Amino acid sequence: MVRLWIGLAVAAVVFIVYSVVDCATMPRDRVRGISKTSWIIAILLLPVIGGVLWWIIGRVRAPKAVPRGSAPDDDPDFLKKLDADRAQTKRIRDLEDELKRFDDGSGDGPDATTHDDPAPGSDTPDDGSGRRPPGAPSAS
């Protein structure tokens, strides 16, 4: 019978120590009822009952883990966004190439028209850009 009492006393001491450590390391926002210091005093003054009260009343359970979503390549919205980004990047690249060709003077832009002949009523050659070539007489 003495062995039983010794075993129960050891279990109670382990439970009390574990409860005090748990209470002391618990963040303040997860403690209910009274302050952490008051809970530790209650656990120590009411050995088993204080620990049981701490575990039932004073301790707020940890928030449940947020379920993780699926991988990005399984998300249709993410894939649509990737396709839209690729299309936009390609469109920007095409427009930059077209602008570069237009600036280089090749004039293959969609609105560019080439004028081989001078403008009507003009005696100066015109390269189609509205600018006079160097050395051409001015129209004054």
Side-chain angles (χ1 to χ4, degrees):
M1 187 71 171
V2 174
R3 288 184 190 176
L4 177 66
W5 285 111
I6 292 175
L8 288 175
V10 169
V13 169
V14 169
F15 177 70
I16 292 167
V17 169
Y18 187 73
S19 297
V20 168
V21 170
D22 184 62
C23 181
T25 60
M26 184 68 60
R28 290 182 193 263
D29 60 336
R30 291 187 42 206
V31 176
R32 277 192 295 193
I34 55 179
S35 68
K36 285 173 45 168
T37 308
S38 301
W39 273 114
I40 292 173
I41 292 171
I43 292 169
L44 293 174
L45 290 179
L46 306 168
V48 176
I49 297 171
V52 170
L53 289 175
W54 162 248
W55 286 96
I56 293 174
I57 298 172
R59 193 171 196 268
V60 176
R61 304 225 190 295
K64 292 184 180 179
V66 177
R68 298 188 74 181
S70 60
D73 58 346
D74 293 338
D75 185 11
D77 294 332
F78 179 77
L79 295 175
K80 287 178 189 174
K81 183 179 179 299
L82 280 180
D83 290 339
D85 288 348
R86 281 191 204 117
Q88 182 178 8
T89 303
K90 183 181 181 312
R91 190 171 69 228
I92 290 172
R93 197 175 312 122
D94 291 345
L95 288 173
E96 286 173 346
D97 291 343
E98 185 178 314
L99 184 61
K100 185 177 179 184
R101 283 194 312 268
F102 185 73
D103 284 344
D104 288 344
S106 61
D108 342 353
D111 295 333
T113 56
T114 57
H115 297 285
D116 293 335
D117 297 329
S122 172
D123 293 337
T124 60
D126 188 6
D127 65 353
S129 66
R131 296 176 285 182
R132 295 182 188 277
S138 63
S140 46

